[in-house]
Amino acid sequence: MPRPRKFDEQAVLTAVRDAFWRNGYAATSVQNLCDASGLGMQSLYGAFGSKHDLFVRILDDYCACQFAGLEAAVTVDPSPWHGVTSAVTFDDGGRMDLPPQGCLMANSAAALSAQDEEVQARVNRLYSETHALFARQITRARDSGEIDADVDPEATARALIAVMQGIEFLHKSGISEEELQLAKSAALELIQRSVGR
């Protein structure tokens, strides 16, 4: 019979997540993870497997949390179109604040997805889920007359995801808050014009 764990699993996962997020996967050593979690190497491996296993677990938890927050923020707004555009510009107030190091999923995709099939699978899944969510809300907005009747929800959802990722990149690049707001306003104005708002 396995002995009960003598540590707070969620606290350990949060500490390890922050270490990966701060340093990136490659630059985070197992010793860094032990230091962050307060666990010895044997305990860490015994509880969570390899460094890669632990990273994938962190990524799964992060993606689930981020998507749940995104879905809640998008769907709680009585205006389907406003809900989507607020999410795209990170003005929805319903998700984890975007830290200076940017999105853990986006960072992981950029650094690892080309050579890591498990990370690539998670990138693809999150993209598909976000695309489907946006397309559903855009369809609702179109059907309720908020946007033009000839708007293609699938294509518009893809464009909005690209805009959202661009805004996230600009935030991470360290440009001034004033310039970031100008970029967001300009992007939103173009989006609104494209759908007849």
Side-chain angles (χ1 to χ4, degrees), residues 6 14 27 30 39 77 81 83 88 98-99 107 113 115 118 155 189:
K6 296 180 180 179
T14 299
V30 175
L39 297 179
D77 196 307
W81 180 248
V88 165
L98 195 62
N107 295 350
S113 63
Q115 67 264 18
E118 290 190 72
E189 184 178 347

Side-chain angles (χ1 to χ4, degrees), residues 53-174:
D53 291 339
L54 184 52
F55 182 74
V56 169
R57 165 75 183 273
I58 294 297
L59 208 52
D60 282 340
D61 290 351
Y62 177 84
C63 290
C65 179
Q66 288 295 94
F67 184 77
L70 176 63
E71 185 173 37
V74 167
T75 58
V76 75
D77 196 307
S79 161
W81 180 248
H82 184 263
V84 169
T85 56
S86 294
V88 165
T89 55
F90 294 90
D91 293 327
D92 53 77
R95 286 178 285 167
M96 185 187 304
D97 289 339
L98 195 62
Q101 65 266 37
C103 170
L104 178 63
M105 183 74 252
N107 295 350
S108 302
L112 295 171
S113 63
Q115 67 264 18
D116 191 318
E117 291 182 2
E118 290 190 72
V119 172
Q120 182 63 59
R122 283 152 180 82
V123 170
N124 291 341
R125 184 178 67 216
L126 186 60
Y127 175 85
S128 296
E129 290 173 347
T130 303
H131 178 263
L133 171 63
F134 282 7
R136 283 195 304 271
Q137 294 302 101
I138 294 163
T139 299
R140 288 182 58 210
R142 183 192 63 187
D143 293 349
S144 66
E146 274 196 273
I147 57 178
D148 284 349
D150 62 352
V151 168
D152 180 341
E154 300 282 328
T156 304
R158 291 185 185 96
L160 289 177
I161 291 171
V163 169
M164 183 169 67
Q165 292 304 309
I167 290 171
E168 194 271 329
F169 170 79
L170 288 177
H171 172 81
K172 184 181 175 183
S173 73

Side-chain angles (χ1 to χ4, degrees), residues 81 145-151 190-197:
W81 180 248
E146 274 196 273
I147 57 178
D148 284 349
D150 62 352
V151 168
L190 287 172
I191 292 166
Q192 305 287 31
R193 286 180 183 174
S194 73
V195 297
R197 288 276 288 175

